[in-house]
Every structure is written in structure tokens, then in C-alpha cells.
Amino acid sequence: VQLQASGGGLVQAGGSLRLSCAASGLTFSNYNMGWFRQAPGKEREFVAAISWSGGSTYYADSVKARFTISRDNAKNTVYLQMNSLKPEDTAIYYCAADRSGGSYYPQFSGSYHYWGQGTQVTVSS
């Protein structure tokens, strides 16, 4: 299984980025997908998640109304559209996959079976 995150970069505060996570080696439509982030010196934290069908989405309070998670099961890809970026959004962003069918706790990193390598997002003030 491979989760390849991309789309990170350096952006000014107020700007936008779109992260992508391409999955391979699994039946993508069977997996709930999540995005987490980790800033230097901080623990990894939940950002957003989407159910296997795309019918349910979940967001951390800190990103609600600014970030949008979506997925394209035909392309085996999950996206994170990030608008109105703030310096505190600076972190490495990781995508993760949870095999659906059991209990799903989208905000809990332990729910996820597979993790990508991360992509750096830096927001300058």
C-alpha cells in the first residue's frame, strides 16, 4: 500500500493550497481517508476526514470553513483544499487510510491503517 501526498509548498498568509493524496495497492473505495498534520515540536493532530463514499466529512474546529476535504474514487485520490491559510497552519501534512467496516473514529490517529510520507506546508506571515 502506498499513499503519496503532494501539493505542499510555501504560501503567504491568506493564500490557498490544494493537497492531493494518491493511493495505490488497496481498494480505495473501501477506505475512509483522513488528513493529519504535525508542526515542529507538537504532536500530530487531526485536520479532516472523509468517509469511504464521500457522504460524511469531519473537520477540526481550527480548520472548519477554511479547509475542504473531498475524494475521487475513480482516481484513487483524496484532496484537501486549504483556503485562508494562517501561519499556524504550517506543518507537515499526512494522509491516512482507514479500512471501513468497523467502528470509525476519524479524529483518532490510531483508527488508521496506512499513512503517507507527508508534504510540507509553510505559511508565511
Side-chain angles (χ1 to χ4, degrees):
V1 174
Q2 257 197 324
L3 301 177
Q4 184 70 41
S6 62
L10 173 64
V11 64
Q12 286 189 331
S16 298
L17 283 174
R18 189 195 197 201
L19 304 185
S20 299
C21 174
S24 60
L26 52 74
T27 304
F28 185 70
S29 58
N30 288 349
Y31 284 77
N32 304 309
M33 298 296 295
W35 286 97
F36 288 74
R37 66 187 182 187
Q38 187 166 19
K42 294 189 176 182
E43 293 187 353
R44 189 172 297 188
E45 65 174 3
F46 169 75
V47 176
I50 188 167
S51 62
W52 61 273
S53 66
S56 297
T57 56
Y58 313 85
Y59 296 94
D61 288 343
S62 59
V63 307
K64 272 180 187 175
R66 299 189 299 124
F67 290 10
T68 302
I69 189 171
S70 61
R71 67 189 294 158
D72 186 337
N73 285 350
K75 294 183 178 180
N76 288 1
T77 302
V78 61
Y79 305 96
L80 185 68
Q81 177 67 44
M82 306 186 295
N83 299 328
S84 302
L85 282 161
K86 304 175 181 180
E88 51 263 44
D89 294 318
T90 295
I92 300 174
Y93 283 70
Y94 299 90
C95 59
D98 162 82
R99 190 166 50 243
S100 65
S103 299
Y104 177 44
Y105 305 96
Q107 297 178 314
F108 178 46
S109 62
S111 290
Y112 295 85
H113 300 90
Y114 304 109
W115 291 82
Q117 85 292 355
T119 185
Q120 175 71 49
V121 172
T122 303
V123 184
S124 63
S125 57

